[in-house]
Amino acid sequence: MKELVGTGVALVTPFNQDLSIDTQALTRIVNFCIDGGVDYLVVLGTTGESVTLNKAEKMQVMDIVVEANAGRLPLVLGIGGNSTYRIVDEIKSFESDDFAAILSVSPYYNKPTQEGIYQHFKAISEVTNKPIILYNVPGRTGSNMLPETSLRLAHDFDNIIGIKEASGDMVQVQEIIKRKPADFMVISGDDITALPTVLAGGSGVISVLGQGVPVAFSNMINFALEGNAAKAYELHYELQDGMNLIFNEGNPAGIKGIFEQLGLSNAVVRLPLIEATPSLKSQLSTFIKPFAKITA
């Protein structure tokens, strides 16, 4: 899956003031990311507020992104949750050649054992030929998929082709990289650990901030993949404040605040999230100004 090496971005779902999907804004964001040099787009991840969308809205988002993308970049679709049987049914009924892979989060809230996590992904793997990217994000799920479990899945199932690792623990990331199958991708799920993950041997990142500053973020990852750590770290430190700011009031409130500054969409989010405060928006405005020439 060399097409998924580099910078992927977890697309937001922009809303109108009445909380309906802003189709024009979503099209603008897709084009903005592609023009900015990202390598692939992730649709209906947690950054896309997928848990607040009904089935019809999810289909609408998929259709808009597919149309706007027009085959230019690989697309990855988020299909995950904490009911294995529901996810299995959803994946079994999913037929689309428009998406290169499925991104599926480790079950949240239930706090399954490591064996439960393994059996969950085993069940998903066995009902599809689509490539699957595991997603470990303990801060949201309440449980950590340990390297032993990730590696067991990587070795046991040919269509489990990578992991979006968002534990924030570089020791854990390095352990997976050290022991993984040669073609298994380790993808950073945290913007702040994207660069060290790639320099340690990872395949790239699925970024939140990257969709707001696609040129700079993509350049950082490309430099890292080329082994040019000095150039990569120069960009990392320029982006670091933004990497932190966008999560200060919850995701995707921060990145939507950046899109508002860039004139690509408004900052509306759906409850239980709330829109970024004026204070955060002011900080985001200060952060984004040096990139305005790059991102406008």
Side-chain angles (χ1 to χ4, degrees):
M1 296 295 292
K2 291 182 179 179
E3 61 184 345
L4 301 181
V5 172
T7 302
V9 292
L11 292 172
V12 302
T13 302
F15 300 121
N16 296 301
Q17 292 294 333
D18 65 0
L19 299 181
S20 62
I21 294 170
D22 188 338
T23 59
Q24 293 182 343
L26 183 52
T27 297
R28 285 194 295 270
I29 290 167
V30 168
N31 287 320
F32 179 72
C33 290
I34 295 173
D35 292 343
V38 307
D39 297 294
Y40 61 99
L41 307 173
V42 178
V43 185
L44 295 177
T46 49
T47 299
E49 296 175 79
S50 55
V51 294
T52 73
L53 303 178
N54 61 37
K55 185 175 181 179
E57 289 173 326
K58 289 180 180 180
M59 292 300 299
Q60 184 182 14
V61 168
M62 290 166 58
D63 290 344
I64 294 164
V65 174
V66 168
E67 182 178 358
N69 181 54
R72 289 177 287 175
L73 293 184
L75 302 177
V76 175
L77 181 65
I79 304 179
N82 60 351
S83 169
T84 306
Y85 295 113
R86 183 186 63 76
I87 297 166
V88 165
D89 285 343
E90 191 172 343
I91 290 176
K92 283 168 67 176
S93 64
F94 173 69
E95 296 180 6
S96 175
D97 293 330
D98 294 310
F99 292 87
I102 292 168
L103 175 69
S104 195
V105 68
S106 184
Y108 47 81
Y109 186 79
N110 311 58
K111 291 190 176 181
T113 64
Q114 294 301 304
E115 183 62 26
I117 294 172
Y118 175 88
Q119 293 296 333
H120 171 83
F121 284 115
K122 176 177 184 288
I124 291 172
S125 170
E126 291 177 340
V127 297
T128 182
N129 292 321
K130 279 280 187 186
I132 295 168
I133 302 171
L134 312 172
Y135 181 16
N136 182 41
V137 56
R140 286 181 176 263
T141 64
S143 66
N144 182 27
M145 181 161 55
L146 296 176
E148 290 75 13
T149 304
S150 304
L151 291 163
R152 185 181 169 198
L153 288 162
H155 284 285
D156 288 355
F157 302 98
D158 290 340
N159 64 333
I160 293 181
I161 53 107
I163 183 169
K164 178 184 177 184
E165 177 57 54
S167 64
D169 182 347
M170 281 306 300
V171 173
Q172 178 160 310
V173 171
Q174 291 169 340
E175 184 66 19
I176 299 171
I177 291 172
K178 176 183 176 181
R179 297 167 52 198
K180 70 180 183 66
D183 56 354
F184 185 78
M185 299 187 302
V186 179
I187 302 165
S188 176
D190 288 315
D191 287 342
I192 202 72
T193 62
L195 178 53
T197 295
V198 173
L199 292 176
S203 299
V205 63
I206 294 176
S207 173
V208 176
L209 181 62
Q211 64 195 301
V213 284
V215 174
F217 214 104
S218 298
N219 285 343
M220 178 186 74
I221 297 300
N222 288 336
F223 280 132
L225 289 168
E226 295 164 1
N228 192 336
K231 283 285 190 181
Y233 268 112
E234 183 179 330
L235 285 167
H236 172 88
Y237 291 128
E238 291 176 8
L239 294 167
Q240 186 169 304
D241 285 347
M243 294 177 186
N244 293 317
L245 281 171
I246 60 170
F247 297 107
N248 278 359
E249 295 179 3
N251 184 40
I255 187 62
K256 284 190 169 183
I258 284 180
F259 281 142
E260 184 177 77
Q261 297 294 326
L262 295 173
L264 291 172
S265 73
N266 61 45
V268 173
V269 292
R270 283 184 175 177
L271 289 170
L273 298 178
I274 59 171
E275 189 170 324
T277 60
S279 174
L280 178 58
K281 287 183 179 181
S282 176
Q283 294 176 77
L284 291 170
S285 177
T286 300
F287 162 74
I288 203 69
K289 280 180 182 177
F291 301 97
K293 294 188 293 296
I294 297 175
T295 58

